[in-house]
Amino acid sequence: MTTALKAPDRVGLPYLKIGIILCPSFTLTPMASFVDAIRLAADREDQSRQVYFSWDFISAGQHPVRASCGLQMVPSGNLDDPGRYDCVAVCGGLARDMGGIPQRTYDYLQAADQRGIPIIGLCTGSFVLAQAGLLNHRECALHFDTLGEFVARFQNVSPVTNQNYVIDGNILTCPGSIVAIEVAAFLIAHYSNVGRAQKALNYLLFKPEEPRIALRTKPYEEALGAASRLTVEAVKVMETRIDAPCSIDELARSLNTSKTRLNRAFLADLQTAPAIFWRRIRLLAARELLASRRRSVTEIAYETGFSDTAHFCSCFKKHFSMTPQQFRRIGK
């Protein structure tokens, strides 16, 4: 059974306050994947402020809590008030170390469940939810490696291993690993918008050799034919990072050169600065995406690396002498 997750009772920012309960020997990958996706959606220009989303780390046992890799986390929240958060995520750990979780953690989760607060089980966090009785007669998503132990311990739960995540009532579960990024993206889209979710996905799932957005037309291609090797290599990087641009300083370092030398090369070969040229590539990609009519203007803004919709619309109008909405209407 799948139902919509409860919206926060309050209004205004942040869209969602999340309490992240860390179990003894918690696994770092699902926690980091989940939190970093939320972090990227929580602010503009990747400044990591907790504006649109906020979160606290809570220990399910001892203070501080230690990850299975040895990293220690100092809690920033507690288990005093289950109504403090709009959503609670439980990041599980090594099964052998979770027997020491105190009863107050289960009491807290039960109280949150009674309020209808969405509860997320990351990785073996599902074991904790099942132990609290929250998964009885429900489906949950598990990693195949933990299936045997889970079934032996919890006969009243219906685990599945062929889904990235499962929503059953107010409970969302996932098998862990980087699938936690997808869980976070779902929450971002559900409580904010798809554009912010896509921004997080673009950053965290980026691979240099696999551009997410490929330009079909390149009006600058002829000029590149006579350009220096440095300019050509820089443009290749720009084309693969349409959705995740970095600073020109970072770009220069990745090419083992200086910002000054890179600027000189672009001015000589393309008669423009690299930052301006990169923005032009992203705007060309945005125009192609607008022509497809499959995405909203907000989604396209984030997918082409702009910090917000207003900035994107301003740049688009300056370059093409019309707004994205006007371009879309003309193309009908």
Side-chain angles (χ1 to χ4, degrees):
M1 178 178 68
T2 301
T3 61
L5 299 181
K6 176 186 176 182
D9 294 327
R10 57 186 175 72
V11 294
L13 296 177
Y15 295 124
L16 207 63
K17 295 180 179 179
I18 308 170
I20 303 170
I21 298 177
L22 303 176
C23 296
S25 299
F26 70 92
T27 45
L28 190 59
T29 298
M31 184 280 287
S33 297
F34 179 80
V35 173
D36 218 27
I38 297 293
R39 177 189 68 82
L40 287 164
D43 195 11
R44 297 179 178 180
E45 299 178 358
D46 194 23
Q47 295 189 32
S48 297
R49 296 174 300 178
Q50 298 188 22
V51 179
Y52 298 100
F53 295 88
S54 69
W55 56 94
D56 277 322
F57 297 108
I58 304 168
S59 174
Q62 298 297 317
H63 301 268
V65 60
R66 186 189 295 271
S68 57
C69 68
L71 177 72
Q72 284 192 335
M73 297 284 289
V74 177
S76 55
N78 55 57
L79 298 172
D80 292 347
D81 179 14
R84 180 178 179 182
Y85 302 107
D86 307 311
C87 175
V88 175
V90 181
C91 184
L94 299 178
R96 67 168 189 253
D97 294 331
M98 291 201 294
I101 294 175
Q103 182 59 41
R104 63 187 176 87
T105 301
Y106 300 115
D107 294 340
Y108 180 90
L109 291 170
Q110 290 164 359
D113 181 55
Q114 289 170 5
R115 291 170 180 249
I117 294 172
I119 301 174
I120 300 167
L122 299 172
C123 194
T124 52
S126 294
F127 281 70
V128 180
L129 302 189
Q131 187 65 40
L134 306 188
L135 295 182
N136 288 341
H137 311 296
R138 282 175 161 167
E139 283 192 346
C140 74
L142 285 179
H143 193 284
F144 63 85
D145 197 44
T146 63
L147 179 62
E149 184 172 356
F150 187 90
V151 170
R153 291 176 58 180
F154 308 108
Q155 287 81 31
N156 293 329
V157 186
S158 301
V160 298
T161 58
N162 62 347
Q163 296 185 48
N164 283 0
Y165 61 86
V166 168
I167 303 174
D168 196 334
N170 64 311
I171 307 289
L172 188 157
T173 53
C174 84
S177 188
I178 62 170
V179 174
I181 296 173
E182 189 174 335
V183 171
F186 168 79
L187 291 177
I188 295 162
H190 186 69
Y191 290 103
S192 177
N193 60 59
V194 174
R196 288 193 176 278
Q198 193 61 52
K199 173 189 174 184
L201 290 171
N202 287 346
Y203 270 81
L204 294 178
L205 301 181
F206 166 71
K207 293 181 180 180
E209 74 278 10
E210 295 179 9
R212 291 184 164 273
I213 301 171
L215 277 174
R216 293 192 298 271
T217 57
K218 300 178 182 179
Y220 51 85
E221 203 157 31
E222 184 176 348
L224 280 183
S228 66
R229 181 177 177 181
L230 176 58
T231 298
V232 172
E233 290 301 314
V235 171
K236 284 182 181 178
V237 173
M238 292 175 179
E239 289 175 342
T240 62
R241 297 194 59 169
I242 288 172
D243 56 345
C246 63
S247 70
I248 300 303
D249 279 323
E250 290 177 86
L251 175 62
R253 284 196 296 270
S254 73
L255 295 169
N256 197 28
T257 189
S258 67
K259 180 180 179 180
T260 300
R261 185 172 170 229
L262 188 60
N263 272 307
R264 281 202 302 263
F266 267 73
L267 289 171
D269 295 331
L270 302 172
Q271 291 74 57
T272 189
I276 295 173
F277 187 82
W278 203 345
R279 187 185 307 123
R280 185 181 303 164
I281 289 178
R282 290 155 54 209
L283 289 168
L284 289 169
R287 186 173 63 175
E288 291 183 0
L289 292 173
L290 283 165
S292 71
R293 299 189 189 87
R294 295 175 185 171
R295 299 170 174 84
S296 69
V297 171
T298 297
E299 289 176 278
I300 290 171
Y302 285 119
E303 287 184 38
T304 49
F306 288 88
S307 58
D308 58 67
T309 308
H311 181 220
F312 165 65
C313 291
S314 174
C315 291
F316 191 94
K317 184 177 181 180
K318 185 176 181 179
H319 188 75
F320 295 114
S321 301
M322 66 181 74
T323 66
Q325 293 86 348
Q326 289 170 332
F327 174 80
R328 187 162 261 175
R329 283 198 295 270
I330 291 172
K332 288 183 178 180

